[in-house]
Amino acid sequence: MSSIIETTGTPINGYAPDFELPGVDQEVHHLARYLEKFRAIGVVFMCNHCPYVHLYLDRLKKLQADFDDRAVTLIGINANDCNQHPDDSFEKMKIFAADNQLNFPYIRDVAQDVAQSFGASKTPEVFLLDKDGRLRYRGLIDDNADDAAAVQVSYLQSAIDQLLKDEPVEPSITEAIGCSVKWRL
């Protein structure tokens, strides 16, 4: 399945798939509404149980806080099959968001079609969109999952900075590391 997804996902400079998905805040989240309000949207495929997501949570919250006043938002999307991983259920997502004091929306892709359309394969994996909904960067958050203090390259932060300056995003693709997306069987 992952090889199919990698070849059929959203290409760099391609338009991201629109979505309407439920959030832990009891709201329905529409990508189109975010595009009306924000200059950059970082879609982060994540889940509750992945140790890599846990390693990156504080960094993601810091990025959101740092860019909050610059028309940038992150959106966490959990597409994992909760039949295989009950810790990734919608109810557990609500607890996870509250316990971790997420400062960005956390939404559920139970049908997994949004994750498939993007071409997500890992958690966490980031897809940075411009204000027109075009994909400008995909991949890693930074180059050191294990140690925030040892990060040499902050790929997502750099991509956001370049996007806000109307510069080409380089690199536009990095290879995400983390847990695999848990596709329905």
Side-chain angles (χ1 to χ4, degrees):
M1 182 90 174
S2 66
S3 63
I4 292 170
I5 290 168
E6 288 169 8
T7 59
T8 60
T10 304
I12 294 297
N13 298 321
Y15 287 100
D18 195 11
F19 56 74
E20 290 184 29
L21 297 172
V24 299
D25 59 359
Q26 307 302 320
E27 300 291 327
V28 175
H29 294 260
H30 304 256
L31 178 58
R33 299 297 158 271
Y34 285 98
L35 294 173
E36 291 170 0
K37 291 175 51 177
F38 295 98
R39 293 182 59 205
I41 299 146
V43 176
V44 183
F45 286 90
M46 55 187 277
C47 66
N48 303 340
H49 82 274
C50 174
Y52 289 92
V53 170
H54 289 267
L55 289 168
Y56 274 114
L57 267 182
D58 286 339
R59 285 177 257 182
L60 289 170
K61 292 188 314 186
K62 183 176 181 337
L63 268 171
Q64 178 62 60
D66 289 349
F67 283 104
D68 198 41
D69 63 347
R70 296 177 62 198
V72 175
T73 192
L74 300 179
I75 302 170
I77 298 181
N78 181 355
N80 277 0
D81 177 17
C82 66
N83 291 323
Q84 294 177 68
H85 288 275
D87 283 348
D88 286 330
S89 73
F90 191 59
E91 289 308 311
K92 298 267 178 97
M93 286 174 61
K94 293 175 186 176
I95 295 166
F96 178 87
D99 287 352
N100 290 289
Q101 299 178 325
L102 294 185
N103 58 351
F104 53 87
Y106 192 26
I107 63 181
R108 183 77 172 120
D109 179 17
V110 72
Q112 300 183 321
D113 56 339
V114 175
Q116 289 179 4
S117 295
F118 270 96
S121 62
K122 303 276 192 230
T123 58
E125 185 171 9
V126 176
F127 294 78
L128 181 65
L129 311 177
D130 67 15
K131 66 184 181 305
D132 298 321
R134 289 181 183 261
L135 180 63
R136 299 301 184 182
Y137 170 78
R138 74 177 283 173
L140 291 166
I141 295 163
D142 61 40
D143 66 350
N144 196 323
D146 294 321
D147 185 359
V151 169
Q152 300 281 319
V153 183
S154 297
Y155 292 107
L156 178 56
Q157 180 176 342
S158 175
I160 293 169
D161 284 332
Q162 292 171 72
L163 191 61
L164 293 178
K165 293 176 187 171
D166 295 320
E167 297 173 355
V169 176
E170 292 296 332
S172 59
I173 299 175
T174 57
E175 187 65 37
I177 60 165
C179 299
S180 63
V181 172
K182 306 307 185 228
W183 301 106
R184 286 193 315 268
L185 301 175

